[in-house]
Every structure is written in C-alpha cells, then in structure tokens.
Amino acid sequence: MTENNLITITIKLFANLRELGPAKTIEKFQKDTTVQVILDKYQLPFKEMKLIILINGKPHITPEYILKDGDVLAIFPPLAGG
Amino acid sequence: MPKRILRVNMNNLEAKFEDFPADFAALGGRALTSTIVEKEVDPLCHPLGANNKLVIAPGLVTGTLAPSSGRLSVGCKSPLTGGIKEANAGTPFSQQLAKMRIAAIILEGKHKGSEYYTLKVTMDKAEFTSADKWVGKGLYDTYQSLFKEYGDKVGICGVGIAAELLGASSGICFNDPEGLPSRYAGRGGVGAVMASKGLKFIVVDDTGAPGVEILNEEAFKEGAQKLRKALTTHDVTKPGGALNSYGTSVLVNIINEAGGLPQRNFSAGQDDRSEKVSGEVKAEIIKERGGKRPHACNPGCIIQCSEVWCKPGGKDPVGVLEYESVWALGPNCGIYDLDDVGELNRACNDLGLDTIEAGGMMGVAMEGGLANFGDGKKALKLLDEVKNKTPLGRILANGTAFTAQAMGVTRVPVVKGQSLPAYDPRAIKGIGVTYATTPQGADHTAGYAIATEIMGVGGTADPMDTSKADLSRNLQVATAAIDATGYCLFIAFAVLDIPEGLEGVVDTLNGVLGANLTVADVPGYGQSIIDVERKFNKAAGFTEKDDRLPEFFLKEKLAPHNTVFDVTDEELDRVWGP
C-alpha cells in the first residue's frame, strides 16, 4: 500500500470482454476497493451472465472481494471447453 | 429394418452383417464398445495381435435431429495403456453409420500378409480393395484422392504412417464435413490396432439408408426441443458464446491465469507468452486469413466450437486447432507461435498421430535433448522421422513414456502409460483425481473437473481442495453415460446447469429406444459402463497402484502456486472403492 492509501491492481480482461476494456491495464485505486467497482467501471455484464473472476490465479471470486495492493484481477465471460 | 452389427474378419477378408443382440438394445457409443471389448477380447491378449478387436460404434441418438449428437466411440485393448480404450470423435461418419442402422463395426483377426486394405461399406454389402497405393502417404492428399475416387458424399476413417509403424500414439482419423482428415478418435493407439489387422481405410456410403428408428416420436421431439433450448440459452454453449466464438482454445488464457497450464514438459504452470497461442489471438488470425470460425465438426451441431485454421490467404487448411492440441504442441514444448503449432498439428493429422500424445512425447524429447524447448522447426523435423519410418521415428511414434525411457527422462507425465492433457494436477487437484482413476489412462474428458474447479459450471469447487473423489466419480459416471448417447460431451456444460436440458437428453433416449428412463437412471447407467471397463482392466492386470500419478507430481512444486499433488492414495481409492 502506498502512503496516500492507493493500491495498484493489474486488471486483465479476456475473450469478448475485451470489447469493453483493455486486455491488460495497471491501475491505482483507493484502499478497500471491491471487485464490483471494476465491474462497474468497465460496464462488465455481471448481472446478465456468470462472469468468471480470478484473483492471483484463484477462481470463484465474488464482486464483494476487497482488493489488496498488487492483486492481479482476471475476468472472463462464462466459458468451458476441453 | 433392425439395427445390425458389421463383423469384419481380417483373417480371411470376410465382412458380414449380424443381428444386433436384443440385450444390447440400450447400448450405444462407449457403452457398446466397452461391452463388446469386455465380452469378446481376452484381457491378456497382445493389443497388436490377432486376438484384439476394434469396435466402432455411433451413439444411441447419433444420426437423428437431436442437436450436437454426431459422436462415435472407438474401443479396443489399448497398445498404449494395456487396458481398455474408448476414443471418441465428432464426424459425419458417425451419423452415416447410424442412419445405415449399423450399431457397430467389429474388426477382428489379422491379415497375414503385409498388404493393407480399404473396406467399403454400403447398405447391403462390405467389400475389400487394396489400399497399398496409400501406404507411406500423408492423410491430407490421401483423403482428397479417396473422396475423388468414392465421391464426396461418403464418410472416411483411416490410419496414417504412424499406425503403419504400429505406434502407440496413432489415432483413427475421421473426416470433417469438408472432407479434411482432422477429426480424431485420437487416444490410446487405436490407429495401431486398426493397422495391425491390415485395414487402412473404411469408406461408408449411406445411399439408401433408412435413418435412425425412433420408437416414440413425441418423446424424442420434446426432448430435442428441451435440449436445443438449453444449448442455445446457456452462456457457454449458445451461439456467440465463448466456445462458439473462440473454440476450445478459449481455455488457454484462463488455465494459464489459474497457474495450471503446463509449460515445457510440466515444469511450470504459467507463462505470459501463452497469450500468443490463445483462442482470442487464433480467432483473430483465422478471420484475417479467411479460414472458418465457427464451424461444426458434424452437421446439426448447435455449439459449433470447431474451426478451420489455414495459412495466410486461406491456403492449406489444417482443420481445427483444439485447446489440447495447441497446448501439447505449444506451451508444453515452449512454443508460442501459432504458425508453428498449426504446422505441427498439420503434421500430426497427416501422419495420423494423437496430438496430445505427440505433444507429450515432444515435451520429453526436448527435455531429453532431441531439440531445444521452443524450437518449432526442429520439432517438425522430428516428426519427419516418423514420416520416414526411421528407428528414431519408431520411438517417437510410440508416445511419451516410450520416448522418455529411450531418452533417459524421468519427468514422465503419464498415467497408465497415457500422456496427461493440458491441466496440471498440482494446481487443479480434481482433474488429477480423474487422470489417476479413470480406466482410460490420463484423460481430461473422462471426468472434466475443470468445469467445476475453475469455471463454476455444475457447481463450484476450490481447485486446491484435495477432497475430490466424489466430484471426479460423479463426473466420470455422467461422462460415460453421455459417451454412450452420441451427444457431444460439451452439452454437459448446459445440462449440468439447466435441469430441463438433462430431461431433454433422457427424453430423446426414450424416444429412440421406446424406453421409460428418468434422469435418476443416468448415474447407474454410467456406472455400469465404468464397471465393465474396470473389470477388463483388472483382468488385464491393473491394481489400485495403477490409479496413481507419477512421482514427480508428488515431489516437484509447480510455479506459480508452488504446490504439489497432495491428494492422498486413500482419497484416490475412494473414487471406486467401498
């Protein structure tokens, strides 16, 4: 955390979410920012579909998650395959 | 006209239609191949000898108007695992067989000479011709010539040079709707079994076929409608959804983000360069080059995850570059160039090699010093060794474990001799439980825990949680049932979340069979298939010690999560245990 209460977050968007924001960006946010703030900022369709959200490679993250300095946030549309 | 079995005796080149046994009525696809193999094949036979049999069976609803149902199963004793094998493909060939009311082709015996044959199957007869002129030839040119010779409406399956070498990583190649040799029943060396008998191609001509008999039209129609609705509304399977827009390689980025995309022969779980071979990048290039995306691997598919990758200007189409293939021939070899991956995939298709096993083999070959990681051009040259049938080519064509042993490599990512697919079990434990315990050898499709552990489809599970016996078993049992129906496994993504979709699947089965199955019958049906397969494997000599991952997964930590595979042996044995 920096002295002025800002945290640095890496945001990655994938697949067709890239039509709504950059593939990768590093941004500063106020301390205690939730994932919801980022979903709103890029108008990601979290109400319409079950977006897949990972923090630092850990899946099943919900919008209420409070971001920490240095977090890597990766957001995908619903997908599967194999 | 009732369903039939086409029994092909390669000892005396005799093919005849037999009645389909009444007690097999509810069996199709994997249920039928595994039942016939268990009933008719000595578990201790040599997989490449006269006593092994190869069974090809379309699913129960294949050939009907049920959506995304054009799959077939290929079964035998595997020369790669030494156990029972079911390899699965989506192809118009399966629909043609089903419409001709051929429930299975059983290939048995072994032709004594060194010649190869083509078997042409029509409604009322099956005839052999020499296939010797195709020996040593690549499958792309060969399939073009075969379609010219037999007409473009036939279906073709065949084996390539890798199978002529009796390589345990050779698959059986089926045509896609455009006639490309790109749809593979890839795994377990099924190609070598077909070639060992002296058969190179099967050509099916369904002229005059009556179509699939549907005993209860109303139930069938209602079921197909329910399933269609589920597939067209679920975000994963619907038109314009991720699978449809980007293909299966849409997984590259998410599995890499999750730290489970194996790099350089399973020595790391993440590499930023993986983005370069992602589904997003591939879809863009296909669009630029005038390839096809989306594309159906068989007519009537709603999901349409397939594609046609090609060179610039739309030239030299390869067919689909699946996620598993892109990973195996890409990041697993330290290769992050889609053109290199595309050419390696083309070489595999041309030679008749399973791309997963070939990529696993290439990973250990690179670790063993035959090429540097990342050297796509050298990797292509190594596949030329197979083409030229050199002694080294023979080693490589036998797959990951064989090559690793030849090269003195100890990091050998196989279970029951079969190479692991594109998810590292140290980062995603449930898929590791499936790799270890499926009767098939390491196989992601056998119980795709990834959907639950990473994507939150069919519930959610923490990928690091080590209690995964129940998840893996439930998925393995459901998968076995789906593999019997002829539906694509990807319908599971929709029907796991939408109960009406699953009802629709059962309704279509009731429609075809005139049965009164319910959703509650599905697990028992799936379990009965697994039981048959495990019975065969036990008689072939398998014990619980074969339901384990290789040692290095338990000892070497995987970056970035720095974890090992720590699911206990007791938990693994709980999958099928008391």
Side-chain angles (χ1 to χ4, degrees):
Chain A
M1 201 186 309
T2 57
E3 51 218 289
N4 50 1
N5 270 0
L6 290 178
I7 55 172
T8 304
I9 305 296
T10 302
I11 302 167
K12 298 180 179 179
L13 302 181
F14 295 92
N16 52 13
L17 300 184
R18 288 179 176 175
E19 291 160 18
L20 303 171
K24 183 178 175 182
T25 174
I26 298 171
E27 296 181 30
K28 290 194 187 301
F29 291 93
Q30 288 296 321
K31 187 184 163 216
D32 293 337
T33 293
T34 62
V35 168
Q36 183 71 58
V37 170
I38 288 150
L39 297 178
D40 290 339
K41 174 173 177 176
Y42 290 105
Q43 299 183 320
L44 300 177
F46 70 95
K47 280 184 188 147
E48 294 79 12
M49 52 180 69
K50 210 161 84 184
L51 298 178
I52 305 171
I53 306 172
L54 285 79
I55 296 277
N56 306 326
K58 189 177 156 28
H60 314 311
I61 299 296
T62 58
E64 300 78 45
Y65 176 91
I66 297 168
L67 292 159
K68 293 170 195 64
D69 190 42
D71 274 350
V72 177
L73 170 64
I75 309 177
F76 297 81
L79 59 85
Chain B
M1 176 190 203
K3 278 189 186 180
R4 309 169 288 170
I5 283 179
L6 178 62
R7 193 175 289 272
V8 181
N9 185 336
M10 292 302 296
N11 290 330
N12 52 8
L13 300 183
E14 198 178 76
K16 56 180 186 199
F17 289 103
E18 290 177 358
D19 294 340
F20 188 56
D23 56 344
F24 283 3
L27 305 180
R30 178 175 170 184
L32 188 55
T33 61
S34 289
T35 298
I36 293 173
V37 170
E38 196 279 325
K39 233 181 162 74
E40 298 193 12
V41 176
D42 177 356
L44 296 177
C45 75
H46 195 289
L48 302 175
N51 296 319
N52 198 3
K53 300 190 184 190
L54 187 87
V55 186
I56 303 175
L60 287 167
V61 299
T62 301
T64 69
L65 292 174
S68 305
S69 63
R71 308 286 301 190
L72 55 70
S73 295
V74 176
C76 61
K77 177 174 175 173
S78 164
L80 187 70
T81 69
I84 199 164
K85 174 52 57 186
E86 187 263 354
N88 195 294
T91 165
F93 187 101
S94 61
Q95 295 161 317
Q96 287 162 318
L97 277 188
K99 287 176 188 169
M100 294 164 81
R101 301 204 176 164
I102 298 174
I105 298 176
I106 303 176
L107 192 61
E108 59 192 27
K110 180 172 170 140
H111 188 63
K112 282 212 169 54
S114 58
E115 316 83 71
Y116 286 99
Y117 290 90
T118 299
L119 178 70
K120 185 177 178 193
V121 182
T122 55
M123 267 311 289
D124 51 4
K125 62 180 182 215
E127 290 177 318
F128 290 93
T129 51
S130 171
D132 281 345
K133 63 179 167 179
W134 309 117
V135 173
K137 301 272 193 330
L139 290 179
Y140 280 95
D141 285 348
T142 300
Y143 271 50
Q144 257 189 7
S145 302
L146 286 169
F147 278 111
K148 228 175 249 171
E149 195 171 320
Y150 291 97
D152 57 11
K153 292 203 165 58
V154 299
I156 300 174
C157 81
V159 296
I161 295 169
E164 290 167 19
L165 295 175
L166 302 181
S169 59
S170 59
I172 295 180
C173 175
F174 294 85
N175 62 284
D176 78 359
E178 281 73 38
L180 289 171
S182 61
R183 309 301 321 184
Y184 267 81
R187 308 229 66 195
V190 292
V193 176
M194 182 162 156
S196 72
K197 302 193 171 303
L199 193 66
K200 191 111 167 86
F201 303 107
I202 301 174
V203 176
V204 292
D205 180 341
D206 67 352
T207 305
V212 177
E213 187 177 26
I214 297 175
L215 295 176
N216 183 343
E217 284 279 358
E218 202 178 323
F220 177 82
K221 270 189 194 150
E222 195 179 321
Q225 191 51 36
K226 282 187 202 166
L227 177 58
R228 189 170 289 114
K229 192 174 170 200
L231 293 175
T232 50
T233 51
H234 194 277
D235 287 323
V236 171
T237 52
K238 70 185 182 186
L243 262 177
N244 182 257
S245 302
Y246 302 99
T248 53
S249 309
V250 73
L251 292 176
V252 169
N253 278 329
I254 191 165
I255 302 302
N256 190 54
E257 282 301 317
L261 188 70
Q263 311 282 332
R264 300 172 294 282
N265 191 29
F266 289 79
S267 58
Q270 195 172 60
D271 190 307
D272 283 349
R273 292 172 292 177
S274 304
E275 162 80 26
K276 294 183 188 172
V277 295
S278 65
E280 288 91 329
V281 171
K282 177 148 58 76
E284 200 61 36
I285 297 176
I286 288 174
K287 199 170 154 194
E288 274 167 34
R289 292 182 177 181
K292 279 192 192 140
R293 159 103 275 163
H295 170 259
C297 74
N298 61 85
C301 182
I302 285 177
I303 304 169
Q304 300 194 11
C305 66
S306 184
E307 67 198 7
V308 179
W309 170 264
C310 57
K311 285 185 180 166
K315 285 190 191 130
D316 297 335
V318 173
V320 63
L321 305 187
E322 299 284 10
Y323 165 68
E324 305 293 332
S325 310
V326 167
W327 159 77
L329 302 164
N332 190 51
C333 297
I335 294 171
Y336 303 98
D337 179 314
L338 267 177
D339 278 311
D340 281 349
V341 170
E343 289 314 295
L344 287 166
N345 202 133
R346 182 197 307 280
C348 287
N349 288 353
D350 208 37
L351 294 165
L353 281 171
D354 170 22
T355 48
I356 298 178
E357 196 65 38
M361 170 278 285
M362 199 60 77
V364 296
M366 286 176 162
E367 186 160 325
L370 289 175
N372 290 326
F373 280 111
D375 192 344
K377 308 294 180 283
K378 187 68 198 284
L380 265 177
K381 284 217 170 85
L382 285 175
L383 292 182
D384 275 347
E385 301 282 340
V386 178
K387 188 175 176 182
N388 297 327
K389 300 188 175 179
T390 65
L392 175 57
R394 286 179 173 275
I395 292 172
L396 303 179
N398 271 297
T400 306
F402 197 95
T403 301
Q405 189 168 4
M407 300 307 299
V409 172
T410 55
R411 189 188 289 122
V412 194
V414 302
V415 177
K416 300 181 179 71
Q418 181 165 289
S419 199
L420 261 67
Y423 317 85
D424 198 300
R426 288 166 288 188
I428 313 172
K429 318 273 181 178
I431 197 70
V433 175
T434 294
Y435 291 158
T437 60
T438 164
Q440 301 295 331
D443 181 346
H444 61 297
T445 66
Y448 193 66
I450 301 297
T452 310
E453 296 183 282
I454 303 295
M455 290 91 170
V457 171
T460 59
D462 177 356
M464 292 296 173
D465 179 5
T466 55
S467 302
K468 292 284 170 55
D470 296 327
L471 175 68
S472 177
R473 182 196 319 108
N474 292 340
L475 288 166
Q476 289 194 55
V477 160
T479 300
I482 291 176
D483 285 343
T485 63
Y487 282 119
C488 173
L489 191 50
F490 289 177
I491 68 157
F493 302 135
V495 306
L496 282 171
D497 284 340
I498 304 173
E500 296 77 20
L502 184 55
E503 283 167 28
V505 168
V506 175
D507 291 347
T508 57
L509 289 170
N510 286 334
V512 168
L513 299 171
N516 292 300
L517 300 166
T518 67
V519 168
D521 293 320
V522 174
Y525 185 86
Q527 183 68 51
S528 69
I529 300 168
I530 305 263
D531 288 346
V532 162
E533 294 173 349
R534 284 178 51 79
K535 185 177 169 197
F536 184 94
N537 280 0
K538 192 176 174 197
F542 284 66
T543 70
E544 69 273 13
K545 299 284 186 294
D546 296 290
D547 288 352
R548 300 288 183 264
L549 294 186
E551 183 190 29
F552 81 91
F553 287 113
L554 283 58
K555 306 284 183 199
E556 290 180 23
K557 287 182 179 174
L558 183 78
H561 295 301
N562 296 316
T563 47
V564 295
F565 185 74
D566 50 359
V567 176
T568 62
D569 289 351
E570 291 70 33
E571 182 72 1
L572 292 175
D573 291 339
R574 205 165 67 74
V575 173
W576 306 124

